[in-house]
């Protein structure tokens, strides 16, 4: 069974260019799906590509990054027929909620002298 590499793309990126780039590196039109929202012009879109080995994963990731991908997700043991938009969206939502985000740098001021001039009586 193949794997699915899914990518969420920027608003300004062109899905037609993504399709052309994928086909230029050897993916067939039956190897990928671009999910578009017809109600919004220039809205973000999601694309999924069926990949079988690490070479294809790297190639698809490279094409994704050239086309302003925001984030990529690899779903193992999933075929393109199983890659329905709602199913992928629910997996992506679950992964995003489980991700631990970096906290901002916190500076802790500690006194090394005991009580100092900041303490008033």
């Amino acid at each position: 069974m193949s794997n699915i590499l899914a990518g969420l793309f920027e608003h300004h990126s062109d899905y037609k260019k993504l399709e052309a780039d994928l086909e230029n590196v050897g993916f067939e039109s039956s190897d990928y799906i671009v999910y578009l929202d017809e109600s919004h012009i220039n809205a973000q879109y999601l694309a999924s590509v069926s990949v079988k080995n690490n070479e294809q994963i790297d190639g698809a990731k490279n094409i994704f990054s050239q086309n302003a991908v925001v984030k990529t997700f690899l779903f193992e043991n999933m075929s393109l027929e199983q890659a329905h938009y709602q199913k992928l969206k629910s997996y992506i939502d679950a992964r995003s909620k489980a991700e631990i985000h970096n906290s901002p740098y916190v500076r802790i001021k500690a006194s090394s002298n005991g009580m100092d001039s900041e303490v008033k009586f």
Side-chain angles (χ1 to χ4, degrees), residues 77-96:
N77 299 322
M78 180 185 283
S79 67
L80 203 58
E81 292 79 25
Q82 297 171 321
H84 301 290
Y85 176 75
Q86 290 298 345
K87 187 175 189 178
L88 286 179
K89 188 173 179 302
S90 67
Y91 287 156
I92 290 170
D93 288 344
R95 284 190 183 178
S96 295

Side-chain angles (χ1 to χ4, degrees), residues 38-88:
E38 298 295 329
S39 63
H40 298 92
I41 298 173
N42 293 333
Q44 279 187 315
Y45 62 93
L46 180 70
S48 61
V49 179
S50 177
V51 290
K52 295 173 182 60
N53 54 39
N54 288 339
E55 195 173 289
Q56 284 187 338
I57 292 171
D58 292 339
K61 280 185 178 180
N62 186 27
I63 295 300
F64 280 11
S65 64
Q66 291 174 13
N67 286 279
V69 72
V70 176
K71 185 122 176 151
T72 59
F73 303 90
L74 181 64
F75 300 101
E76 296 179 347
N77 299 322
M78 180 185 283
S79 67
L80 203 58
E81 292 79 25
Q82 297 171 321
H84 301 290
Y85 176 75
Q86 290 298 345
K87 187 175 189 178
L88 286 179

